[in-house]
């Protein structure tokens, strides 16, 4: 550790004002004071609930993906299962629920692989990344009215090639996939 690692770098919040509070978007403007006394009266923060995602691998060794349209980038994307942790829900329970709802897959052996921040500069939530091995199709999909999701299975080599070609666009999904591949799965 360097000498500066013990210096208090935390900002002091002088005031906060909510600009919008909607179910899927909460934004506030903070006035903050840095340790050197500088005041920034327009620091914007987005508040979200915590999320989960799941790298699910079947008993046959295939990776369970979903294919869906993502309006923000106007693209149809292949992604691992992901969703919001409901109030009072534990992260692993949320991950299991999301996997079953979006794909109909369940069971298997579960472990938390990593915890990430979507953007620690301006976003309040974290994402819990899980790995579920030995999952099987146990039910039908249970999609929300706003979800249009297709289930896809890919081999480990196909997933590696998708990552190399930049086809998995969501950084919070690419990170646990790359980590698993780097660890030799």
């Amino acid at each position: 550790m360097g000498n500066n690692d013990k210096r208090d770098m935390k900002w002091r919040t002088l005031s906060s004002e909510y600009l919008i509070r909607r179910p899927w978007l909460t934004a506030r403007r903070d006035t903050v004071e840095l340790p050197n006394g500088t005041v920034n009266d327009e620091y914007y923060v987005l508040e979200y609930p915590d999320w989960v995602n799941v790298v699910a691998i079947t008993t046959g060794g295939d990776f369970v993906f979903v294919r869906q349209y993502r309006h923000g980038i106007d693209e149809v994307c292949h992604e691992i299962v992901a969703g919001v942790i409901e109030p009072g829900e534990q992260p692993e329970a949320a991950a299991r629920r999301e996997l079953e709802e979006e794909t109909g897959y369940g069971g298997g052996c579960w472990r938390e692989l990593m915890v990430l921040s979507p953007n620690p500069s301006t976003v309040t939530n974290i994402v819990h990344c899980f790995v579920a091995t030995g999952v099987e199709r146990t039910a039908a999909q249970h999609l929300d009215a706003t979800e249009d999701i297709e289930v896809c299975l890919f081999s480990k080599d196909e997933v590696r090639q998708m990552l190399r070609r930049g086809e998995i666009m969501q950084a919070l999904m690419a990170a646990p996939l790359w980590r698993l591949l780097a660890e030799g799965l």
Side-chain angles (χ1 to χ4, degrees):
M1 260 202 233
N3 291 338
N4 290 337
D5 290 341
K6 295 181 181 177
R7 182 171 55 94
D8 183 13
M9 298 177 72
K10 190 169 179 171
W11 297 357
R12 190 167 64 110
T13 302
L14 303 176
S15 65
S16 288
E17 173 191 8
Y18 280 95
L19 305 173
I20 185 170
R21 283 187 176 182
R22 302 292 301 152
W24 296 106
L25 176 64
T26 299
R28 70 175 202 256
R29 180 177 51 221
D30 289 350
T31 298
V32 296
E33 181 181 10
L34 285 63
N36 67 5
T38 300
V39 173
N40 182 345
D41 62 356
E42 282 198 64
Y43 199 87
Y44 297 93
V45 177
L46 300 175
E47 296 181 3
Y48 293 105
D50 289 346
W51 299 329
V52 292
N53 67 31
V54 184
V55 179
I57 304 169
T58 67
T59 54
D62 288 324
F63 286 65
V64 180
F65 271 69
V66 293
R67 182 175 177 265
Q68 60 187 323
Y69 174 73
R70 292 305 196 184
H71 190 66
I73 61 170
D74 192 30
E75 296 283 337
V76 175
C77 298
H78 284 104
E79 301 177 344
I80 59 176
V81 166
V84 171
I85 300 173
E86 300 294 339
E89 190 175 35
Q90 293 300 309
E92 185 176 322
R96 287 177 180 267
R97 175 183 50 74
E98 288 290 344
L99 181 65
E100 185 178 332
E101 287 176 1
E102 292 187 7
T103 70
Y105 280 82
C109 180
W110 288 70
R111 70 180 171 98
E112 188 171 63
L113 178 66
M114 60 199 308
V115 177
L116 300 169
S117 169
N119 181 349
S121 177
T122 59
V123 177
T124 61
N125 71 329
I126 60 171
V127 61
H128 297 264
C129 307
F130 287 89
V131 177
T133 56
V135 300
E136 296 179 314
R137 187 77 184 252
T138 58
Q141 288 176 292
H142 304 291
L143 301 177
D144 294 337
T146 58
E147 292 178 313
D148 182 15
I149 297 174
E150 178 182 306
V151 178
C152 304
L153 300 178
F154 295 107
S155 70
K156 180 166 71 171
D157 288 337
E158 289 172 318
V159 171
R160 182 180 288 114
Q161 290 307 314
M162 291 166 67
L163 285 163
R164 285 186 176 146
R165 291 189 300 258
E167 295 173 12
I168 299 172
M169 297 292 296
Q170 222 292 11
L172 296 173
M173 297 179 181
L177 288 165
W178 276 119
R179 179 169 173 182
L180 279 175
L181 292 175
E183 291 177 354
L185 194 58

